[in-house]
Amino acid sequence: GFIRQGYSNRGSTTSDFVTFGGIDTLASTSNTSAIISIPVHNVVDDLTWSKGAHTFQFGGNYRYITDNRQVDATLYKQANVTPYYLTIGSIAGQGTSLDPGAFGYAPVGQNFYNAYNHAISDITGLITHASEYFNYRVTGSSLAPLPAGQWTKRSFVASEAEFYGQDSWKVKPNFTVTVGLRYGLLQTPYESHGQEVVPTFNLGKWFDNRAQGAAMGQTVQPDISFAQGGKANHQPGLWNMDKLDLAPRFSVAWSPISKASIRAGWGLYYDHFGQGVVNSFDAQGSFGLSSNAANGVDQDVNTAPRFSSETSVPTSIIPAISSTGTLPTTPPAIQALTWGIDGSLKTPYSQVFDFSVQYELPKGNSLEVTYNGRLGRRLLQMRDIATPLDLTDAKSGTDWFAAASQLSKDVDAGLSITQVTTNPYWENMFPNAAGNGYSATQNIYNDQFKAFRGNETAALYDLDLGYYGNTPVSQQFRFFDPQYASLYVWSSVGTSSYHALQLSFHHPMSHGLSADMYYTFAKSIDLGSDAERLAPSSSSVGGSAFSQIINVYNIKGNRGVSDFNTKHAITGNLLALLPFGRGAAFLPNASTLVDELIGHWSLTGLTHWTSGLPFTTIDGLGWGTDWADNSFDVATKKIATGGHTNVFKDQAAALASIRAPYPGEAGERNSLNGMGYFSVDAGLTKVFKIKEKQDLKFAAEAFNVTNSVRFDPHSIVNDPFGSPTAFGRYTALLTDGRRMQLSLRYAF
């Protein structure tokens, strides 16, 4: 078989562009272009051999995949009007030149900091972020600049081969055992023309060493460099191919009596993965090929450039990237927010098991009860491996998260500077903060944590870069990595579990009616529900995902019900032959004309209902644990949901029942439920016979017959601090309005 998927997004961008808050609000200047084609060659062969009570099956499947991409997104400089790249992380309440409280006016309420910061940034045209790509081509071990205006082109290829064998053994006429084994070999994708770079050492291990060092009070974060990689360059790939992906299968089927059957099975299943990971890294993280020069979180309200036109990008804040023209090459220490590649990736897999009992009821009806389970392991999960270190003080044995959480709790308790208890962590790690009659702990509390409650990584940034002027250089960048403020990677650290009880009832066609009814009682739990494809579509790193790992030092903090979890689900369908016309219950002796009008109409119906879908509230004021990912909020008491246009029955009570998480806390992911899905579809059809070989079919169909309204929980305004007045409001529908269609089909 040969399948070719091809598509293109043709944008209007022909020059540099500026956006507001990451959203293009002016003349659609940030719509760049991409041309994609993915041809797939597929060869499959299967063999079945029956011998006695055994049925043997063998087969193989080979795929050759090419991922061709051309993009112009790296040709243009871009800038963003936003408060997010200010050195201190915000404007309101900081005593800056744009803070009304600094000039004797009424201060901005803390719950409105985020909204005010964005509004005042837009009004003043505050450009705090700008970036530019430098595009090169690999020639041997050299880097040659691409000609101006030339699109970047990539052609990643990979082969996949699978083989299987199984035996279905009919032990007895009513008892069958099936065993099998499947072997898969997934090649790591590589750029066929050698336009590929890889980190010079495994970034997964780089993070592990970083975390282990921090636990012992050491900062271990050597510079990351990039060199030639991939099969075309005769170099190691982006990750090592797994060569032992063996997947056994086992199942039994038993019919103890003629009206009952029992089935059970277990199997190991490996995922196909890699294309999305490679696309993310190549598009946003391949330093040396497309080096993204962007300023870090280093702008000041008073000196940041201002908006002048939608195509004028201020180059003054874009750091200069020098290239030696050779590989390996090392990104500069600009604390970038970008993508990397985890060389420790392994093939994700799942264990799937089921047990079912089916029983034949009177009149041909049947009932089936099934248990289904699925345990996912080594699943792809997005994490920030350059997140600030949870650095331990070797003298006191206290780590950053514990010490910072205590000060955040003191802020929530409203303690004054003199009421704060001295903590050895701050005295040992930041002794230069002491002064003016106060301990280091008290000054850090008053200067940083009171201002940055909920955004504690901004406080840490100040401390780490020497907020107290007499901090020696040797005590700077102990927590943050100089090269990357955030470095996103997909890693094989995710887990999931799904358990479900399913009931199904089948009524075969009888007396003009057939019907099926299904009920599922289930729970799905994971660390994150993001798809591998999400990252490349995001205009900002990680911005399109919903459940990145918040605390990479405790990934289980993300554990919660899946984004798609539905506790209850009911589905039903029916087909009814209406009892009118010749031979039917009503008007059985109708004339030919009457029978043609009223006879042989069919009514079909389909209904689907689920219980509420989960959603999460986020700490939109800042970032308490990770530099670039908002933590999830924490409920201090039970919150009632079930409202209509607003998910909360009492918005004020909900706002009063939520707090920002403390440093190290991921918060509570998907702990609340919004609306579920509901729809009823129906159709009315009739076939009019014209001649023996000609007929005309009429159909009247309606979707969401009841015109029921259900709102999408993923559209809820979920920031209680940045958008308190709109908190809990739905902004999009989960269902479509009633739709009807009429059709005529002539067949001959």
Side-chain angles (χ1 to χ4, degrees), residues 234-246:
H234 308 289
Q235 298 293 331
L238 296 170
W239 62 86
N240 294 326
M241 176 172 59
D242 287 338
K243 297 180 180 179
L244 290 176
D245 287 348
L246 295 169

Side-chain angles (χ1 to χ4, degrees), residues 300-454:
D300 182 86
V301 170
N302 299 321
T303 59
R306 296 305 200 265
F307 175 84
S308 59
S309 79
E310 62 196 51
T311 59
S312 297
V313 173
T315 58
S316 60
I317 62 174
I318 299 177
I321 291 184
S322 60
S323 174
T324 61
T326 59
L327 292 169
T329 182
T330 305
I334 58 174
Q335 293 201 291
L337 281 75
T338 189
W339 277 88
I341 192 82
D342 188 344
S344 303
L345 285 175
K346 299 290 184 180
T347 309
Y349 70 91
S350 298
Q351 293 188 62
V352 179
F353 34 88
D354 64 84
F355 178 82
S356 67
V357 178
Q358 187 177 38
Y359 189 78
E360 182 182 347
L361 300 172
K363 298 182 180 180
N365 297 318
S366 64
L367 176 68
E368 185 170 4
V369 181
T370 303
Y371 162 76
N372 281 319
R374 187 182 189 99
L375 302 178
R377 297 297 182 265
R378 297 197 322 211
L379 305 182
L380 294 183
Q381 189 65 53
M382 191 187 301
R383 60 175 179 165
D384 174 10
I385 61 172
T387 194
L389 287 172
D390 181 25
L391 191 59
T392 296
D393 168 31
K395 294 181 180 179
S396 67
T398 304
D399 65 313
W400 149 255
F401 286 147
S405 293
Q406 184 55 59
L407 289 189
S408 295
K409 293 175 182 178
D410 291 345
V411 173
D412 289 352
L415 300 187
S416 67
I417 186 172
T418 57
Q419 293 175 308
V420 174
T421 303
T422 297
N423 187 323
Y425 184 87
W426 307 109
E427 307 304 316
N428 296 334
M429 297 294 287
F430 301 99
N432 297 325
N436 299 322
Y438 298 109
S439 67
T441 305
Q442 292 171 323
N443 281 331
I444 290 172
Y445 169 80
N446 196 61
D447 299 339
Q448 296 293 329
F449 278 78
K450 288 181 69 174
F452 292 117
R453 173 65 184 105

Side-chain angles (χ1 to χ4, degrees), residues 661-672:
Y662 300 126
E665 287 186 330
E668 297 173 347
R669 173 174 164 261
N670 286 339
S671 59
L672 299 170

Side-chain angles (χ1 to χ4, degrees), residues 127-139:
I127 296 178
T128 63
H129 186 245
S131 64
E132 177 180 7
Y133 280 93
F134 296 89
N135 301 306
Y136 296 87
R137 177 176 178 82
V138 174
T139 305

Side-chain angles (χ1 to χ4, degrees), residues 33 73 93 132 154 178 186 191-192 195 211 247 270 354 382 388 436 451 456 463 487 560-561 598 623 636 640 654 671:
S33 300
E132 177 180 7
R154 300 287 186 269
T178 302
L186 308 181
E191 214 287 325
S192 59
Q195 301 308 299
Y270 285 92
D354 64 84
M382 191 187 301
N436 299 322
E456 286 85 353
L463 295 171
L487 184 61
V561 297
I598 68 170
W623 299 262
T636 57
S671 59

